[in-house]
Amino acid sequence: GAVVSQHPSRVICKSGTSVKIECRSLDFQATTMFWYRQFPKQSLMLMATSNEGSKATYEQGVEKDKFLINHASLTLSTLTVTSAHPEDSSFYICSARTGDSNQPQHFGDGTRLSIL
Amino acid sequence: GEDVEQSLFLSVREGDSSVINCTYTDSSSTYLYWYKQEPGAGLQLLTYIFSNMDMKQDQRLTVLLNKKDKHLSLRIADTQTGDSAIYFCAERGPSGYNKLIFGAGTRLAVHP
């Protein structure tokens, strides 16, 4: 149980393109979803927290206009990297949680984004 | 502020036990987690422990929590090559706190 599916797994695109990443909870309802960014050989950096039907809460230093998050249903959240540039290249990972904050987060397999 | 620290690298022989250590600073942490990350993949929840517990065992995994010293450890018995990965320790703050604070991860290398 508690499977989180993230697509695509890898994206390579040109600078200036907008890229959408999907995060789905397959067998549970995700009241809260989280988006992380991970640089090579480093830990995860939380970008934003989204609750279904609400606006996302962004961490300090994360541009909300650059990283658009939509959590339209209890099983789907999307992260759109707008007008991506090479410095946005990274590994993006989502996680989902059901219920309250006592419940653990379950992670997707991540998306490797490479901007040329 | 919250901080979680782990040693960066551990090398063990196949069949031996591995012990990965973690220290944290927030004494009000309610849950502490261990996640495993294989190359190019997301994080897999291995186990977690509530702050009022001292120990939790699940098959080959044993988690020990020393709340006084704010020290958490993960012991993997009979370590196999498939256990080679990065292991992240994470803490969650007081009840109702949303965020997880992750350590930098410990890279476990298992050799024959």
PDB file of all heavy atoms in Angstrom, chain B residues 77-107:
ATOM      1  N   ALA B  77      20.581  -5.999  10.191  1.00  0.00           N
ATOM      2  CA  ALA B  77      21.223  -7.290  10.438  1.00  0.00           C
ATOM      3  C   ALA B  77      21.482  -8.010   9.124  1.00  0.00           C
ATOM      4  O   ALA B  77      20.738  -7.832   8.143  1.00  0.00           O
ATOM      5  CB  ALA B  77      20.338  -8.138  11.346  1.00  0.00           C
ATOM      6  N   ASP B  78      22.565  -8.810   9.092  1.00  0.00           N
ATOM      7  CA  ASP B  78      22.864  -9.628   7.904  1.00  0.00           C
ATOM      8  C   ASP B  78      22.790  -8.780   6.637  1.00  0.00           C
ATOM      9  O   ASP B  78      22.011  -9.041   5.712  1.00  0.00           O
ATOM     10  CB  ASP B  78      21.878 -10.804   7.834  1.00  0.00           C
ATOM     11  CG  ASP B  78      22.207 -11.793   6.726  1.00  0.00           C
ATOM     12  OD1 ASP B  78      23.391 -11.873   6.346  1.00  0.00           O
ATOM     13  OD2 ASP B  78      21.276 -12.473   6.240  1.00  0.00           O
ATOM     14  N   THR B  79      23.605  -7.745   6.582  1.00  0.00           N
ATOM     15  CA  THR B  79      23.549  -6.787   5.479  1.00  0.00           C
ATOM     16  C   THR B  79      23.849  -7.468   4.152  1.00  0.00           C
ATOM     17  O   THR B  79      24.798  -8.255   4.034  1.00  0.00           O
ATOM     18  CB  THR B  79      24.561  -5.653   5.715  1.00  0.00           C
ATOM     19  OG1 THR B  79      24.415  -5.170   7.052  1.00  0.00           O
ATOM     20  CG2 THR B  79      24.307  -4.510   4.761  1.00  0.00           C
ATOM     21  N   GLN B  80      23.048  -7.153   3.156  1.00  0.00           N
ATOM     22  CA  GLN B  80      23.187  -7.725   1.822  1.00  0.00           C
ATOM     23  C   GLN B  80      23.584  -6.646   0.822  1.00  0.00           C
ATOM     24  O   GLN B  80      23.425  -5.457   1.064  1.00  0.00           O
ATOM     25  CB  GLN B  80      21.859  -8.364   1.395  1.00  0.00           C
ATOM     26  CG  GLN B  80      21.352  -9.444   2.350  1.00  0.00           C
ATOM     27  CD  GLN B  80      22.321 -10.613   2.429  1.00  0.00           C
ATOM     28  OE1 GLN B  80      22.723 -11.171   1.403  1.00  0.00           O
ATOM     29  NE2 GLN B  80      22.709 -10.983   3.644  1.00  0.00           N
ATOM     30  N   THR B  81      24.048  -7.075  -0.355  1.00  0.00           N
ATOM     31  CA  THR B  81      24.452  -6.094  -1.374  1.00  0.00           C
ATOM     32  C   THR B  81      23.270  -5.225  -1.789  1.00  0.00           C
ATOM     33  O   THR B  81      23.446  -4.063  -2.146  1.00  0.00           O
ATOM     34  CB  THR B  81      25.049  -6.799  -2.605  1.00  0.00           C
ATOM     35  OG1 THR B  81      24.111  -7.778  -3.083  1.00  0.00           O
ATOM     36  CG2 THR B  81      26.354  -7.496  -2.249  1.00  0.00           C
ATOM     37  N   GLY B  82      22.071  -5.771  -1.726  1.00  0.00           N
ATOM     38  CA  GLY B  82      20.886  -5.001  -2.064  1.00  0.00           C
ATOM     39  C   GLY B  82      20.567  -3.899  -1.065  1.00  0.00           C
ATOM     40  O   GLY B  82      19.704  -3.048  -1.321  1.00  0.00           O
ATOM     41  N   ASP B  83      21.258  -3.912   0.063  1.00  0.00           N
ATOM     42  CA  ASP B  83      21.067  -2.849   1.049  1.00  0.00           C
ATOM     43  C   ASP B  83      21.919  -1.625   0.729  1.00  0.00           C
ATOM     44  O   ASP B  83      21.772  -0.579   1.377  1.00  0.00           O
ATOM     45  CB  ASP B  83      21.429  -3.354   2.459  1.00  0.00           C
ATOM     46  CG  ASP B  83      20.497  -4.463   2.941  1.00  0.00           C
ATOM     47  OD1 ASP B  83      19.289  -4.392   2.637  1.00  0.00           O
ATOM     48  OD2 ASP B  83      20.979  -5.403   3.602  1.00  0.00           O
ATOM     49  N   SER B  84      22.803  -1.746  -0.245  1.00  0.00           N
ATOM     50  CA  SER B  84      23.629  -0.598  -0.641  1.00  0.00           C
ATOM     51  C   SER B  84      22.725   0.515  -1.145  1.00  0.00           C
ATOM     52  O   SER B  84      21.951   0.318  -2.085  1.00  0.00           O
ATOM     53  CB  SER B  84      24.623  -0.995  -1.741  1.00  0.00           C
ATOM     54  OG  SER B  84      25.548  -1.936  -1.263  1.00  0.00           O
ATOM     55  N   ALA B  85      22.812   1.668  -0.520  1.00  0.00           N
ATOM     56  CA  ALA B  85      21.919   2.789  -0.844  1.00  0.00           C
ATOM     57  C   ALA B  85      22.312   3.956   0.061  1.00  0.00           C
ATOM     58  O   ALA B  85      23.260   3.865   0.835  1.00  0.00           O
ATOM     59  CB  ALA B  85      20.456   2.415  -0.603  1.00  0.00           C
ATOM     60  N   ILE B  86      21.549   5.033  -0.068  1.00  0.00           N
ATOM     61  CA  ILE B  86      21.707   6.160   0.866  1.00  0.00           C
ATOM     62  C   ILE B  86      20.549   6.098   1.851  1.00  0.00           C
ATOM     63  O   ILE B  86      19.391   5.927   1.447  1.00  0.00           O
ATOM     64  CB  ILE B  86      21.711   7.507   0.118  1.00  0.00           C
ATOM     65  CG1 ILE B  86      22.866   7.542  -0.868  1.00  0.00           C
ATOM     66  CG2 ILE B  86      21.834   8.658   1.119  1.00  0.00           C
ATOM     67  CD1 ILE B  86      22.887   8.787  -1.742  1.00  0.00           C
ATOM     68  N   TYR B  87      20.868   6.245   3.113  1.00  0.00           N
ATOM     69  CA  TYR B  87      19.861   6.172   4.165  1.00  0.00           C
ATOM     70  C   TYR B  87      19.706   7.555   4.803  1.00  0.00           C
ATOM     71  O   TYR B  87      20.681   8.150   5.269  1.00  0.00           O
ATOM     72  CB  TYR B  87      20.259   5.135   5.217  1.00  0.00           C
ATOM     73  CG  TYR B  87      20.181   3.722   4.666  1.00  0.00           C
ATOM     74  CD1 TYR B  87      21.206   3.209   3.882  1.00  0.00           C
ATOM     75  CD2 TYR B  87      19.058   2.934   4.892  1.00  0.00           C
ATOM     76  CE1 TYR B  87      21.125   1.935   3.339  1.00  0.00           C
ATOM     77  CE2 TYR B  87      18.972   1.648   4.355  1.00  0.00           C
ATOM     78  CZ  TYR B  87      20.013   1.164   3.580  1.00  0.00           C
ATOM     79  OH  TYR B  87      19.917  -0.101   3.039  1.00  0.00           O
ATOM     80  N   PHE B  88      18.471   8.039   4.798  1.00  0.00           N
ATOM     81  CA  PHE B  88      18.185   9.346   5.364  1.00  0.00           C
ATOM     82  C   PHE B  88      17.425   9.211   6.675  1.00  0.00           C
ATOM     83  O   PHE B  88      16.445   8.469   6.765  1.00  0.00           O
ATOM     84  CB  PHE B  88      17.326  10.176   4.397  1.00  0.00           C
ATOM     85  CG  PHE B  88      18.053  10.645   3.171  1.00  0.00           C
ATOM     86  CD1 PHE B  88      17.983   9.919   1.992  1.00  0.00           C
ATOM     87  CD2 PHE B  88      18.804  11.815   3.190  1.00  0.00           C
ATOM     88  CE1 PHE B  88      18.647  10.349   0.856  1.00  0.00           C
ATOM     89  CE2 PHE B  88      19.468  12.248   2.054  1.00  0.00           C
ATOM     90  CZ  PHE B  88      19.399  11.518   0.890  1.00  0.00           C
ATOM     91  N   CYS B  89      17.896   9.947   7.642  1.00  0.00           N
ATOM     92  CA  CYS B  89      17.196  10.096   8.904  1.00  0.00           C
ATOM     93  C   CYS B  89      16.375  11.376   8.792  1.00  0.00           C
ATOM     94  O   CYS B  89      16.818  12.355   8.184  1.00  0.00           O
ATOM     95  CB  CYS B  89      18.268  10.200   9.992  1.00  0.00           C
ATOM     96  SG  CYS B  89      17.750  10.747  11.593  1.00  0.00           S
ATOM     97  N   ALA B  90      15.169  11.392   9.342  1.00  0.00           N
ATOM     98  CA  ALA B  90      14.349  12.601   9.298  1.00  0.00           C
ATOM     99  C   ALA B  90      13.568  12.721  10.592  1.00  0.00           C
ATOM    100  O   ALA B  90      13.156  11.726  11.184  1.00  0.00           O
ATOM    101  CB  ALA B  90      13.393  12.564   8.105  1.00  0.00           C
ATOM    102  N   GLU B  91      13.359  13.954  11.004  1.00  0.00           N
ATOM    103  CA  GLU B  91      12.548  14.188  12.191  1.00  0.00           C
ATOM    104  C   GLU B  91      11.346  15.047  11.819  1.00  0.00           C
ATOM    105  O   GLU B  91      11.387  15.866  10.903  1.00  0.00           O
ATOM    106  CB  GLU B  91      13.362  14.890  13.278  1.00  0.00           C
ATOM    107  CG  GLU B  91      13.801  16.298  12.937  1.00  0.00           C
ATOM    108  CD  GLU B  91      14.265  17.099  14.140  1.00  0.00           C
ATOM    109  OE1 GLU B  91      14.025  16.672  15.285  1.00  0.00           O
ATOM    110  OE2 GLU B  91      14.861  18.169  13.929  1.00  0.00           O
ATOM    111  N   ARG B  92      10.281  14.807  12.568  1.00  0.00           N
ATOM    112  CA  ARG B  92       9.111  15.656  12.444  1.00  0.00           C
ATOM    113  C   ARG B  92       8.917  16.331  13.768  1.00  0.00           C
ATOM    114  O   ARG B  92       9.045  15.710  14.814  1.00  0.00           O
ATOM    115  CB  ARG B  92       7.886  14.835  12.080  1.00  0.00           C
ATOM    116  CG  ARG B  92       6.771  15.673  11.472  1.00  0.00           C
ATOM    117  CD  ARG B  92       5.435  15.120  11.807  1.00  0.00           C
ATOM    118  NE  ARG B  92       5.082  15.472  13.172  1.00  0.00           N
ATOM    119  CZ  ARG B  92       3.965  15.057  13.763  1.00  0.00           C
ATOM    120  NH1 ARG B  92       3.128  14.280  13.135  1.00  0.00           N
ATOM    121  NH2 ARG B  92       3.702  15.417  14.985  1.00  0.00           N
ATOM    122  N   GLY B  93       8.601  17.586  13.737  1.00  0.00           N
ATOM    123  CA  GLY B  93       8.519  18.373  14.952  1.00  0.00           C
ATOM    124  C   GLY B  93       7.287  18.094  15.786  1.00  0.00           C
ATOM    125  O   GLY B  93       6.671  17.032  15.673  1.00  0.00           O
ATOM    126  N   PRO B  94       6.887  19.058  16.578  1.00  0.00           N
ATOM    127  CA  PRO B  94       5.764  18.856  17.499  1.00  0.00           C
ATOM    128  C   PRO B  94       4.478  18.495  16.774  1.00  0.00           C
ATOM    129  O   PRO B  94       4.365  18.697  15.565  1.00  0.00           O
ATOM    130  CB  PRO B  94       5.620  20.228  18.186  1.00  0.00           C
ATOM    131  CG  PRO B  94       6.926  20.899  17.984  1.00  0.00           C
ATOM    132  CD  PRO B  94       7.477  20.386  16.692  1.00  0.00           C
ATOM    133  N   SER B  95       3.535  17.969  17.502  1.00  0.00           N
ATOM    134  CA  SER B  95       2.267  17.545  16.926  1.00  0.00           C
ATOM    135  C   SER B  95       1.669  18.661  16.088  1.00  0.00           C
ATOM    136  O   SER B  95       1.622  19.824  16.503  1.00  0.00           O
ATOM    137  CB  SER B  95       1.300  17.171  18.056  1.00  0.00           C
ATOM    138  OG  SER B  95       0.084  16.724  17.534  1.00  0.00           O
ATOM    139  N   GLY B  96       1.255  18.319  14.895  1.00  0.00           N
ATOM    140  CA  GLY B  96       0.691  19.304  13.980  1.00  0.00           C
ATOM    141  C   GLY B  96       1.720  19.932  13.062  1.00  0.00           C
ATOM    142  O   GLY B  96       1.372  20.606  12.097  1.00  0.00           O
ATOM    143  N   TYR B  97       2.973  19.697  13.341  1.00  0.00           N
ATOM    144  CA  TYR B  97       4.046  20.253  12.494  1.00  0.00           C
ATOM    145  C   TYR B  97       4.102  19.463  11.203  1.00  0.00           C
ATOM    146  O   TYR B  97       4.146  18.253  11.201  1.00  0.00           O
ATOM    147  CB  TYR B  97       5.353  20.139  13.263  1.00  0.00           C
ATOM    148  CG  TYR B  97       6.502  20.923  12.703  1.00  0.00           C
ATOM    149  CD1 TYR B  97       6.504  22.309  12.769  1.00  0.00           C
ATOM    150  CD2 TYR B  97       7.601  20.287  12.156  1.00  0.00           C
ATOM    151  CE1 TYR B  97       7.577  23.034  12.282  1.00  0.00           C
ATOM    152  CE2 TYR B  97       8.661  20.998  11.667  1.00  0.00           C
ATOM    153  CZ  TYR B  97       8.658  22.373  11.732  1.00  0.00           C
ATOM    154  OH  TYR B  97       9.718  23.080  11.253  1.00  0.00           O
ATOM    155  N   ASN B  98       4.143  20.189  10.096  1.00  0.00           N
ATOM    156  CA  ASN B  98       3.991  19.540   8.806  1.00  0.00           C
ATOM    157  C   ASN B  98       5.282  18.995   8.217  1.00  0.00           C
ATOM    158  O   ASN B  98       5.299  17.977   7.548  1.00  0.00           O
ATOM    159  CB  ASN B  98       3.397  20.551   7.818  1.00  0.00           C
ATOM    160  CG  ASN B  98       2.156  20.025   7.155  1.00  0.00           C
ATOM    161  OD1 ASN B  98       1.783  18.884   7.311  1.00  0.00           O
ATOM    162  ND2 ASN B  98       1.517  20.888   6.406  1.00  0.00           N
ATOM    163  N   LYS B  99       6.364  19.710   8.445  1.00  0.00           N
ATOM    164  CA  LYS B  99       7.582  19.436   7.698  1.00  0.00           C
ATOM    165  C   LYS B  99       8.411  18.318   8.299  1.00  0.00           C
ATOM    166  O   LYS B  99       8.422  18.101   9.511  1.00  0.00           O
ATOM    167  CB  LYS B  99       8.454  20.698   7.671  1.00  0.00           C
ATOM    168  CG  LYS B  99       7.916  21.805   6.822  1.00  0.00           C
ATOM    169  CD  LYS B  99       8.632  23.120   7.076  1.00  0.00           C
ATOM    170  CE  LYS B  99      10.125  23.042   6.956  1.00  0.00           C
ATOM    171  NZ  LYS B  99      10.740  24.383   7.053  1.00  0.00           N
ATOM    172  N   LEU B 100       9.139  17.644   7.408  1.00  0.00           N
ATOM    173  CA  LEU B 100      10.189  16.728   7.832  1.00  0.00           C
ATOM    174  C   LEU B 100      11.530  17.432   7.638  1.00  0.00           C
ATOM    175  O   LEU B 100      11.736  18.110   6.640  1.00  0.00           O
ATOM    176  CB  LEU B 100      10.188  15.448   6.993  1.00  0.00           C
ATOM    177  CG  LEU B 100       9.016  14.481   7.161  1.00  0.00           C
ATOM    178  CD1 LEU B 100       9.225  13.259   6.286  1.00  0.00           C
ATOM    179  CD2 LEU B 100       8.835  14.081   8.600  1.00  0.00           C
ATOM    180  N   ILE B 101      12.407  17.258   8.598  1.00  0.00           N
ATOM    181  CA  ILE B 101      13.755  17.777   8.477  1.00  0.00           C
ATOM    182  C   ILE B 101      14.674  16.587   8.244  1.00  0.00           C
ATOM    183  O   ILE B 101      14.739  15.674   9.081  1.00  0.00           O
ATOM    184  CB  ILE B 101      14.193  18.536   9.738  1.00  0.00           C
ATOM    185  CG1 ILE B 101      13.161  19.607  10.103  1.00  0.00           C
ATOM    186  CG2 ILE B 101      15.582  19.146   9.549  1.00  0.00           C
ATOM    187  CD1 ILE B 101      12.961  20.673   9.056  1.00  0.00           C
ATOM    188  N   PHE B 102      15.370  16.602   7.115  1.00  0.00           N
ATOM    189  CA  PHE B 102      16.203  15.467   6.735  1.00  0.00           C
ATOM    190  C   PHE B 102      17.663  15.702   7.079  1.00  0.00           C
ATOM    191  O   PHE B 102      18.169  16.825   7.009  1.00  0.00           O
ATOM    192  CB  PHE B 102      16.105  15.231   5.214  1.00  0.00           C
ATOM    193  CG  PHE B 102      14.823  14.599   4.777  1.00  0.00           C
ATOM    194  CD1 PHE B 102      13.721  15.369   4.477  1.00  0.00           C
ATOM    195  CD2 PHE B 102      14.725  13.221   4.665  1.00  0.00           C
ATOM    196  CE1 PHE B 102      12.530  14.788   4.075  1.00  0.00           C
ATOM    197  CE2 PHE B 102      13.544  12.628   4.253  1.00  0.00           C
ATOM    198  CZ  PHE B 102      12.440  13.409   3.963  1.00  0.00           C
ATOM    199  N   GLY B 103      18.355  14.621   7.393  1.00  0.00           N
ATOM    200  CA  GLY B 103      19.804  14.647   7.455  1.00  0.00           C
ATOM    201  C   GLY B 103      20.365  14.605   6.042  1.00  0.00           C
ATOM    202  O   GLY B 103      19.618  14.488   5.064  1.00  0.00           O
ATOM    203  N   ALA B 104      21.682  14.678   5.943  1.00  0.00           N
ATOM    204  CA  ALA B 104      22.340  14.712   4.633  1.00  0.00           C
ATOM    205  C   ALA B 104      22.402  13.343   3.981  1.00  0.00           C
ATOM    206  O   ALA B 104      22.733  13.228   2.804  1.00  0.00           O
ATOM    207  CB  ALA B 104      23.744  15.295   4.766  1.00  0.00           C
ATOM    208  N   GLY B 105      22.098  12.296   4.749  1.00  0.00           N
ATOM    209  CA  GLY B 105      22.128  10.948   4.191  1.00  0.00           C
ATOM    210  C   GLY B 105      23.440  10.242   4.434  1.00  0.00           C
ATOM    211  O   GLY B 105      24.507  10.864   4.396  1.00  0.00           O
ATOM    212  N   THR B 106      23.367   8.947   4.707  1.00  0.00           N
ATOM    213  CA  THR B 106      24.546   8.103   4.888  1.00  0.00           C
ATOM    214  C   THR B 106      24.598   7.110   3.740  1.00  0.00           C
ATOM    215  O   THR B 106      23.646   6.344   3.534  1.00  0.00           O
ATOM    216  CB  THR B 106      24.485   7.325   6.217  1.00  0.00           C
ATOM    217  OG1 THR B 106      24.432   8.246   7.302  1.00  0.00           O
ATOM    218  CG2 THR B 106      25.691   6.399   6.372  1.00  0.00           C
ATOM    219  N   ARG B 107      25.696   7.127   3.021  1.00  0.00           N
ATOM    220  CA  ARG B 107      25.857   6.188   1.909  1.00  0.00           C
ATOM    221  C   ARG B 107      26.412   4.880   2.463  1.00  0.00           C
ATOM    222  O   ARG B 107      27.530   4.866   3.004  1.00  0.00           O
ATOM    223  CB  ARG B 107      26.789   6.757   0.850  1.00  0.00           C
ATOM    224  CG  ARG B 107      26.958   5.842  -0.364  1.00  0.00           C
ATOM    225  CD  ARG B 107      27.838   6.506  -1.437  1.00  0.00           C
ATOM    226  NE  ARG B 107      27.222   7.696  -1.974  1.00  0.00           N
ATOM    227  CZ  ARG B 107      26.364   7.714  -2.985  1.00  0.00           C
ATOM    228  NH1 ARG B 107      26.004   6.554  -3.550  1.00  0.00           N
ATOM    229  NH2 ARG B 107      25.860   8.848  -3.431  1.00  0.00           N
TER     230      ARG B 107
END
